[in-house]
Amino acid sequence: MFYFIHKYSGGFDMLFLSEQEMWQSVTLEDVMDAIEDAYAIHKSGNYKMPDRFIAQRDKNMMLYMPCFLDSVIGTKMLSEFPDNPSLGIPYLNGLMILNDATTGLPKAIMNGSALTAMRTGAVGGVALRYLAPEDAASVGLVGCGMQGLHQLLYACEVRPITDIYLYDAYAKDLSGFIERLSARLASFGKNAIQIHTCADTRELAEHSRVLISATQAVDPLYPDDEELLRGKCFVAIGSWRPERRELPDAVWKLVKNAYTELPYACEESGDLKIPLEKGVLTQERVHFIEDLIEDTKQGHPHEQNETRCFKSVGMGLFDVRTAQLIYEKALGKGIGQKLNF
Ligand SMILES: NC(=O)c1ccc[n+]([C@@H]2O[C@H](COP(=O)([O-])OP(=O)(O)OC[C@H]3O[C@@H](n4cnc5c(N)ncnc54)[C@H](O)[C@@H]3O)[C@@H](O)[C@H]2O)c1
């Protein structure tokens, strides 16, 4: 005979959602709308998001990202193990837990790596909603990994993309990536998009109106060439450490404003920190995309420059709001596995 240790034990259900079930629950547009909600919540100040805690042993890192909203609490736990790709395992793995805001009881657990890719792709997609030319038909991706693939799904959702250009410094054979990308695009009804590989980032930039980077690069990915990069729309989501950068100085010379999510991006990411220290970028030119979104919605967009740039470092609020949406949609559709504990 088994006895519960507490009189309330065993009486609570939580929902477990796999990657596939998470995608079955929501659309790309749903997730981008959740990111816009997250920006609005951030702007209102109605949340509590402690600094993310990073525990590191040698080069392996564990990241803990709690965030309280009025309606729910969420914590994402991620591991970043740089040797994983050489073992055929993703660099980034994780788990997301949602807790009830009133009782703290766990409500759901879901795949944290899938959530990261879904919401980071949507963060890129929202940036393109507000920054990319309406008629942008070509997108280039540097870094053909987990984030890169998802960035492209959302880019193709928000702009009439006909051609995708790919470059990766280390993945020798991109055929597996292209196969996965084509299958995912087809699942969203986008069968006619042409996918090309490039020999280097110069060739990629020559062909692409939108340039997305999703790497762990230490040094800038593109040639430091203003003529080559003029008029492009950049989304840089990788390399969030202070000593790492994806974008060359030319980008900061070309843009009127630099867009990011949070003030701490200027310290956390070398993409902003290094040009700020060098004086290539000034603090007055660094703006928050939540302000651009709100101003645009009120009919006052402030970005008219031909070259545009968004740098993302991410925040726990994106995860919680996205996970909450997935949980609610999954419950409504009867998706997922109820676990009793
Ligand atoms: N901004 C955010 O919110 C956010 C969220 C998640 C991950 N990230 C960051 O995004 C980056 C990519 O993450 P991922 O999960 O896709 O990793 P991944 O390992 O799956 O993919 C990265 C790809 O970039 C390629 N690459 C690395 N350095 C390169 C270089 N110098 N030039 C060209 N290609 C290069 C690798 O070969 C790999 O294919 C990481 O830096 C990660 O920390 C940011």
Side-chain angles (χ1 to χ4, degrees):
M1 167 77 89
F2 176 79
Y3 289 99
F4 292 114
I5 53 165
H6 192 282
K7 67 175 178 174
Y8 296 121
S9 293
F12 304 113
D13 281 337
M14 68 176 170
L15 196 65
F16 170 77
L17 292 165
S18 68
E19 176 174 8
Q20 196 183 4
E21 289 163 338
M22 290 163 71
W23 278 108
Q24 282 166 351
S25 305
V26 289
T27 65
L28 296 169
E29 293 290 337
D30 286 340
V31 187
M32 286 188 282
D33 291 345
I35 295 298
E36 291 205 22
D37 283 352
Y39 280 126
I41 295 168
H42 186 254
K43 202 166 164 54
S44 75
N46 210 10
Y47 64 93
K48 177 149 176 79
M49 183 169 55
D51 287 348
R52 67 176 150 204
F53 174 70
I54 302 177
Q56 184 161 3
R57 188 173 195 196
D58 304 322
K59 55 192 170 182
N60 296 331
M61 273 192 274
M62 296 295 299
L63 290 82
Y64 301 88
M65 290 166 266
C67 182
F68 292 71
L69 306 187
D70 286 349
S71 46
V72 75
I73 304 163
T75 307
K76 190 171 76 170
M77 287 165 273
L78 282 186
S79 60
E80 278 200 19
F81 278 48
D83 288 343
N84 278 7
S86 63
L87 305 170
I89 300 168
Y91 170 74
L92 209 138
N93 292 286
L95 193 67
M96 178 78 194
I97 303 181
L98 281 182
N99 296 77
D100 186 274
T102 310
T103 61
L105 278 171
K107 288 159 75 93
I109 53 174
M110 61 186 81
N111 185 320
S113 341
L115 179 72
T116 301
M118 281 170 102
R119 70 82 156 150
T120 308
V123 167
V126 168
L128 293 178
R129 266 184 181 172
Y130 290 89
L131 290 174
E134 292 283 339
D135 62 347
S138 53
V139 55
L141 171 71
V142 188
C144 301
M146 177 84 161
Q147 308 313 320
L149 189 144
H150 290 82
Q151 292 293 317
L152 290 174
L153 297 182
Y154 288 91
C156 294
E157 184 70 14
V158 296
R159 288 297 178 262
I161 301 295
T162 57
D163 291 88
I164 291 174
Y165 295 87
L166 303 174
Y167 173 74
D168 194 291
Y170 304 107
K172 298 275 175 280
D173 176 8
L174 289 179
S175 54
F177 181 85
I178 293 172
E179 211 174 295
R180 286 196 304 281
L181 175 61
S182 306
R184 293 304 298 278
L185 286 170
S187 75
F188 292 109
K190 300 185 190 303
N191 302 298
I193 298 174
Q194 300 292 312
I195 304 175
H196 317 263
T197 55
C198 297
D200 53 34
T201 55
R202 177 173 288 280
E203 185 189 338
L204 182 104
E206 278 166 0
H207 287 99
S208 314
R209 190 96 175 266
V210 171
L211 285 167
I212 300 175
S213 48
T215 73
Q216 303 88 0
V218 176
D219 299 314
L221 297 164
Y222 308 102
D224 193 20
D225 177 345
E226 287 184 47
E227 281 322 298
L228 175 72
L229 306 182
R230 190 182 303 281
K232 310 289 182 191
C233 179
F234 293 87
V235 170
I237 69 114
S239 297
W240 52 271
R241 308 286 290 173
E243 70 287 358
R244 291 171 182 247
R245 58 198 295 224
E246 295 188 304
L247 301 171
D249 289 350
V251 171
W252 307 116
K253 290 179 189 158
L254 287 164
V255 298
K256 184 167 150 230
N257 299 312
Y259 289 93
T260 188
E261 299 130 337
L262 296 159
Y264 91 147
C266 296
E267 284 133 50
E268 197 181 69
S269 161
D271 267 317
L272 295 170
K273 187 177 194 305
I274 296 169
L276 280 167
E277 282 170 358
K278 285 167 76 174
V280 183
L281 179 64
T282 52
Q283 202 67 56
E284 308 77 70
R285 289 166 57 218
V286 179
H287 295 270
F288 303 113
I289 197 142
E290 65 194 31
D291 297 328
L292 174 67
I293 293 172
E294 189 177 277
D295 292 348
T296 305
K297 283 182 172 167
Q298 289 174 1
H300 312 293
H302 42 82
E303 186 50 62
Q304 269 114 37
N305 207 47
E306 55 176 346
T307 311
R308 295 156 184 209
C309 184
F310 171 68
K311 170 68 199 175
S312 166
V313 291
M315 57 172 157
L317 219 162
F318 292 147
D319 297 300
V320 184
R321 183 63 195 103
T322 306
Q324 182 185 23
L325 172 92
I326 293 168
Y327 168 69
E328 287 167 356
K329 294 267 185 188
L331 269 188
K333 293 179 182 177
I335 294 172
Q337 197 186 331
K338 283 207 172 118
L339 302 179
N340 186 265
F341 70 100

